[in-house]
Amino acid sequence: MPPPSIEFKRRLRWADADAAGRLHFPRIFEIIEEAESDLLRGLDWPHDMRHRSYDFPRVHLECRFLRIIELDAAFTLRLTVGKLGRTSIRYDYQVFDAEGHLSIEGTMTVVVLHDGKPTEIPPALRTALGG
């Protein structure tokens, strides 16, 4: 079975563009976090569960820009569970322009904390993430 993933389509909003009308570099990370939230929500791991006892801080981010995404341009983001460690989750992401060309790619790794300390990925979440 393929690893869990989510794909959503949107347009580059004014708030996500720089003065030149292109995707502003740090905004891609907010879009990726939105996709992560949607993915976890779809796996029945809602925010209220996360905030009760677990946290998922970002410990590593990589981003490679291959093509420009301009203001109001349509794009598709795909976020996939790339690798499950003992206490970490690596997500792989790709952003495609309206013609389907790969525009951005990278990874985001989060560590699982319980009461502020690294802990093993909870069994139910590990199973939901394909592990």
Side-chain angles (χ1 to χ4, degrees):
M1 179 166 31
S5 66
I6 191 164
E7 188 171 294
F8 63 91
K9 297 175 186 298
R10 58 191 288 195
R11 290 190 171 276
L12 186 65
R13 303 172 308 163
W14 177 261
D16 297 329
D18 62 15
R22 299 180 182 133
L23 175 64
H24 186 53
F25 174 75
R27 299 298 281 207
I28 189 63
F29 299 119
E30 293 176 21
I31 296 167
I32 294 161
E33 288 176 342
E34 179 184 344
E36 177 197 20
S37 291
D38 285 356
L39 176 69
L40 291 174
R41 189 177 304 107
L43 297 173
D44 291 327
W45 192 260
H47 283 291
D48 65 338
M49 174 62 115
R50 292 173 66 190
H51 291 299
R52 270 188 237 150
S53 54
Y54 291 96
D55 195 15
F56 297 80
R58 285 83 185 103
V59 295
H60 185 84
L61 291 164
E62 291 182 20
C63 185
R64 193 172 123 202
F65 286 82
L66 304 166
R67 299 172 79 86
I68 292 170
I69 298 180
E70 295 185 354
L71 182 62
D72 202 40
F75 66 91
T76 301
L77 176 109
R78 180 182 309 136
L79 180 80
T80 305
V81 176
K83 180 182 177 186
L84 297 176
R86 190 176 69 77
T87 64
S88 64
I89 304 164
R90 188 195 77 217
Y91 297 102
D92 299 331
Y93 64 89
Q94 300 85 32
V95 177
F96 301 91
D97 66 17
E99 290 77 42
H101 299 111
L102 181 62
S103 300
I104 302 169
E105 65 181 351
T107 64
M108 176 177 74
T109 303
V110 299
V111 66
V112 180
L113 300 181
H114 180 68
D115 295 328
K117 297 178 183 154
T119 190
E120 290 190 23
I121 299 170
L125 180 58
R126 179 176 290 281
T127 299
L129 293 172

